[in-house]
Amino acid sequence: MAASRRPLKNAHAEAEQFRRRALLGFAVVALSLCGLAGWYFKLQVIDHTKYATRSEANSIKLRPVVPARGSIFDRNGKLLAENVPAFRLDVLPDKAGESKALIAGLSGIFALTPEDIRHFEATRKSSRGFRPITLKLRVSDEEMARFAVDRWRFPGVELEPYLTRRYPYGDLFGHIIGYVGRIDEKDLEKMGEGNAALTHTGKGGLERYYEEILRGKIGYEKVETNVEGRALRSMGRVPAQAGADLRLSVDADLQYAMTQAFGELEGSAVALDPRSGEVLAMVSLPSYDPNLFVNGISHADFNALNNNPSRPQFNRLVLGGVAPGSTLKPLIALAGLDSGLRRPEDKTLSTGMFRLPGMKGRGWGDSHRGGHGWTDVRKSIADSVNTYYYRLALDLGVERFDSYLTRYGFGQPTGIDLIGEIGGILPSPAAKLKLNKERWYPGDLVNAAIGQGMWKVTPLQLARGTAALADGGMLRRPHLVAAKRHAYDAPWEPLPQPAPVRISDHPANVRVVQEGMEMTVNGPGGTARVMSIGAPYRMAGKTGTAQVVNRSATAVNPKSLPMHRRHRALFVGYAPAENPSIAVAVMVEGGGYGASTAAPIARKIFDAWLLEKSAAQPNPDVGDASTSTLIEVGVTPAVPTPAVPAPAPVTPPAPGALR
């Protein structure tokens, strides 16, 4: 019974135990408070600068300031490419929420095209969520008003002001100015992350060639924002540097007159100042409206351009190589004189048919079936006597022939300030072996002597060579941009050009060739004598025809053939003959013969440049940027062209006798 009794409580021991536990708890609390106080001290005192900076960064954001793109003017100050204010719809993906719901909601406010949505989705997948993505460009006033009512429903969606590109003259300068388009991943990779805020970049023409000069440099603005990320006030900025303006050597009035001279015909033409290499005008017809591409071309418009058999986007001036025909004869004649193989007084007998020595088969004809008789160098140019050049080319040999024509600028790009220029094809054994896998024959050189066979030259190359003859033998680089400036009130700075190259060391030989070209237009037997009727100035030139149908074709009238089988008509020349200020090359697709089609076009171009102009000139489109109508003021055309009578019926030349 005594064992079942409980021991008595020890009050002293229990009190002591409680005190120990209380002290331990107090020590833990005290240490925790000290640690918390120390942490607060660290945050508030030691790390104050660090966290204050982070806090400021959360409320102040750097917003990129996109620079204004440089404007483009013609030689007389007419605006060819400008910036107009507009608004675009930007989306921040990390704040805007799920894509499908967002697009569905915004489609009720904005007219979103399938192209807009596809571009947005593609960009969203490849970009970072904090970077704004443009969903729609050129938002209308009505759309902005509707969005202002429902803006609260779309966090991360903003309307941003920007400058969009506009081309007032539409398709008149499509192949010169080019256009800007939306930046894609390849563009951004090339331009670098520093230019990610840009929405457009040059895609063609001068817009692409001078992209770095035109686009300027991006600036930044410090903007204080609220918890929703909306801007409250500006805290300062690093200003953007606007792109440089460009002044072209091109004359808008001459450009218009050149286009009008073609009428409904297709082809290309270029006019140079032979004294400087400046491009005065250049057209590739048909052309296209660059305004269509600025904010994304629709599928309908794109398909219309691509399905057009005339290929409006194809720049015939730098990409369209053709056989030059007889337009090369003045330069080949110069090669004969400079080589010493021919003297001005040397004569070749033209009987109407030429055959290689020792061969009785195939022959090469002259433009007159009965021949031209005894022919010197001047007459060979004026009357386009093929036999003179057949014999001269064989005497030169292919190596020397190619050496001289290379010196004159063929088989290589001219260096004009446009992207993608081809060098063409200079006939040679190596070129034939590479292209056709065939060996070279003497007959190939005979064909090359009159600009047929493997030849491929651009109108720019022809104009450049012709300008060199007009300038006494100085070959210059054709160029479109004459000067630039970095601000509206800054002086224009001329763009330096390479020194000209002399193509002949014998000025007397160049003069002989010039006399032959003057006889072409002004002589009694000249192939372009119809040009001189009623002209108050003297011209020099050379007609040419690039053969398309084979030599066995029997059609009398080239207009009876389908367009793709008609000969290409060509003309090169300069004026005034005694002091040239303009040199031209004209190529008409399906035009038939140079004398009847290309030469009259060249005459109209000369008149437009040399004669007094009337008040009627091309007016830029002053409407919406999406239109490209060239407004005509309802008065007489700008070019006071004297009436040129229709040429006499053309007698079809003998095989190989095109001129």
Side-chain angles (χ1 to χ4, degrees):
M1 186 168 180
S4 62
R5 291 181 181 176
R6 297 179 180 176
L8 297 174
K9 291 184 178 181
N10 188 339
H12 178 72
E14 289 180 357
E16 186 64 25
Q17 185 181 31
F18 175 79
R19 282 195 297 273
R20 287 197 300 271
R21 291 178 178 177
L23 288 172
L24 180 61
F26 178 78
V28 170
V29 172
L31 287 174
S32 297
L33 290 173
C34 289
L36 186 60
W39 182 249
Y40 282 157
F41 180 80
K42 181 177 183 299
L43 290 175
Q44 297 291 334
V45 179
I46 299 176
D47 292 339
H48 172 77
T49 303
K50 172 183 175 181
Y51 289 106
T53 302
R54 288 189 181 181
S55 175
E56 183 178 344
N58 285 333
S59 62
I60 298 178
K61 298 184 181 299
L62 290 178
R63 175 185 293 175
V65 178
V66 178
R69 193 172 181 86
S71 299
I72 301 177
F73 302 85
D74 86 332
R75 68 186 298 119
N76 299 313
K78 294 184 178 181
L79 195 57
L80 308 182
E82 63 177 338
N83 304 309
V84 294
F87 281 86
R88 66 174 186 260
L89 186 65
D90 279 2
V91 177
L92 278 173
D94 58 351
K95 293 184 178 181
E98 199 270 328
S99 178
K100 289 184 179 180
L102 175 67
I103 296 296
L106 291 174
S107 295
I109 301 174
F110 300 94
L112 301 178
T113 65
E115 288 85 357
D116 291 332
I117 298 172
R118 276 194 292 269
H119 182 270
F120 173 76
E121 294 291 357
T123 307
R124 181 170 186 168
K125 291 177 181 178
S126 59
S127 64
R128 301 172 184 177
F130 60 84
R131 179 177 295 161
I133 301 172
T134 298
L135 176 56
K136 179 179 174 61
L137 294 165
R138 288 193 64 83
V139 175
S140 68
D141 293 341
E142 293 79 5
E143 290 172 329
M144 286 191 289
R146 289 197 298 266
F147 181 68
V149 176
D150 292 333
R151 182 174 181 176
W152 60 273
R153 294 171 45 204
F154 302 100
V157 180
E158 294 289 343
L159 288 173
E160 295 291 340
Y162 77 109
L163 294 175
T164 187
R165 203 63 157 173
R166 177 173 174 265
Y167 304 102
Y169 289 90
D171 58 5
L172 186 61
F173 289 93
H175 289 290
I176 294 179
I177 304 297
Y179 61 91
V180 297
R182 288 184 176 184
I183 288 179
D184 54 29
E185 286 302 310
K186 290 184 179 179
D187 295 325
L188 189 58
E189 193 175 316
K190 179 181 177 181
M191 296 163 60
E193 289 289 330
N195 291 301
L198 297 174
T199 58
H200 291 72
T201 185
K203 297 287 188 176
L206 296 175
E207 292 277 26
R208 181 180 176 189
Y209 191 92
Y210 289 100
E211 167 63 24
E212 293 188 8
I213 295 177
L214 287 166
R215 74 174 175 233
K217 294 183 179 179
I218 295 177
Y220 294 94
E221 181 182 16
K222 289 183 178 181
V223 179
E224 184 179 1
T225 61
N226 59 17
V227 293
E228 295 178 350
R230 293 189 177 179
L232 298 177
R233 61 191 178 102
S234 175
M235 305 289 289
R237 65 165 55 196
V238 176
Q241 181 177 326
D245 295 333
L246 300 180
R247 188 183 70 199
L248 309 189
S249 58
V250 175
D251 186 290
D253 299 335
L254 183 63
Q255 182 83 1
Y256 178 71
M258 183 179 285
T259 302
Q260 294 298 103
F262 273 81
E264 298 299 321
L265 296 172
E266 297 178 359
S268 57
V270 57
L272 304 177
D273 186 334
R275 303 163 297 185
S276 63
E278 292 182 342
V279 176
L280 303 177
M282 55 187 286
V283 299
S284 175
L285 300 171
S287 185
Y288 69 95
D289 183 4
N291 289 300
L292 295 173
F293 292 87
V294 174
N295 294 312
I297 187 170
S298 68
H299 275 289
D301 289 333
F302 188 70
N303 290 335
L305 289 174
N306 279 352
N307 296 332
N308 189 329
S310 297
R311 299 185 294 174
Q313 290 181 265
F314 184 73
N315 191 341
R316 293 157 170 80
L317 294 158
V318 296
L319 301 175
V322 300
S326 296
T327 57
L328 278 185
K329 286 178 180 176
L331 290 165
I332 297 174
L334 180 62
L337 296 172
D338 282 349
S339 67
L341 294 173
R342 295 289 187 276
R343 296 173 299 172
E345 62 271 18
D346 290 341
K347 295 183 178 181
T348 299
L349 179 61
S350 166
T351 62
M353 186 62 65
F354 172 83
R355 288 183 173 85
L356 290 170
M359 294 184 64
K360 296 182 180 180
R362 174 184 176 181
W364 286 264
D366 255 316
S367 55
H368 293 337
R369 294 184 184 276
H372 296 263
W374 290 102
T375 301
D376 63 10
V377 62
R378 295 179 180 87
K379 181 179 177 181
S380 76
I381 297 172
D383 295 6
S384 200
V385 183
N386 290 345
T387 298
Y388 184 94
Y389 296 94
Y390 296 149
R391 295 188 184 277
L392 174 57
L394 291 175
D395 291 344
L396 282 168
V398 65
E399 290 186 3
R400 190 155 40 178
F401 182 90
D402 284 353
S403 175
Y404 276 105
L405 271 297
T406 299
R407 186 177 183 181
Y408 303 152
F410 297 97
Q412 56 196 300
T414 66
I416 191 171
D417 37 355
L418 291 174
I419 297 291
E421 182 188 14
I422 66 171
I425 299 175
L426 181 63
S428 69
K432 186 177 181 182
L433 184 63
K434 179 180 179 181
L435 295 174
N436 300 339
K437 311 299 181 187
E438 297 176 356
R439 58 171 292 191
W440 182 265
Y441 295 97
D444 293 320
L445 186 55
V446 174
N447 285 332
I450 58 170
Q452 304 292 340
M454 291 185 60
W455 274 107
K456 181 178 283 189
V457 305
T458 65
L460 270 170
Q461 290 171 325
L462 288 175
R464 186 189 187 202
T466 304
L469 292 174
D471 193 38
M474 304 303 293
L475 191 70
R476 303 178 186 273
R477 177 209 178 204
H479 56 279
L480 289 158
V481 176
K484 66 177 181 179
R485 67 181 182 190
H486 294 282
Y488 179 77
D489 55 351
W492 288 102
E493 304 172 11
L495 267 63
Q497 301 298 329
V501 177
R502 182 171 291 280
I503 62 172
S504 175
D505 297 325
H506 306 282
N509 291 341
V510 177
R511 181 58 195 150
V512 169
V513 173
Q514 291 175 341
E515 290 171 355
M517 295 179 71
E518 290 180 41
M519 289 172 58
T520 300
V521 180
N522 305 284
T527 58
R529 57 190 179 277
V530 70
M531 290 182 66
S532 64
I533 299 175
Y537 54 89
R538 189 173 176 86
M539 292 166 275
K542 183 70 192 79
T543 58
T545 304
Q547 185 173 337
V548 175
V549 297
N550 62 37
R551 64 190 296 268
S552 62
T554 59
V556 174
N557 186 351
K559 294 183 179 180
S560 67
L561 293 168
M563 184 64 71
H564 70 281
R565 298 191 65 219
R566 298 182 192 176
H567 301 322
R568 294 186 178 95
L570 299 106
F571 178 85
V572 298
Y574 57 87
E578 62 279 5
N579 185 24
S581 63
I582 181 172
V584 303
V586 178
M587 190 278 290
V588 184
E589 295 182 2
Y593 300 110
S596 59
T597 307
I601 292 175
R603 166 67 187 276
K604 293 178 181 179
I605 297 171
F606 287 149
D607 284 350
W609 183 249
L610 297 174
L611 301 183
E612 184 179 358
K613 302 172 185 177
S614 66
Q617 302 298 342
N619 294 316
D621 170 34
V622 295
D624 185 77
S626 63
T627 62
S628 62
T629 304
L630 190 63
I631 302 174
E632 298 184 28
V633 295
V635 293
T636 54
V639 186
T641 307
V644 179
V650 179
T651 302
L658 301 177
R659 59 185 183 178

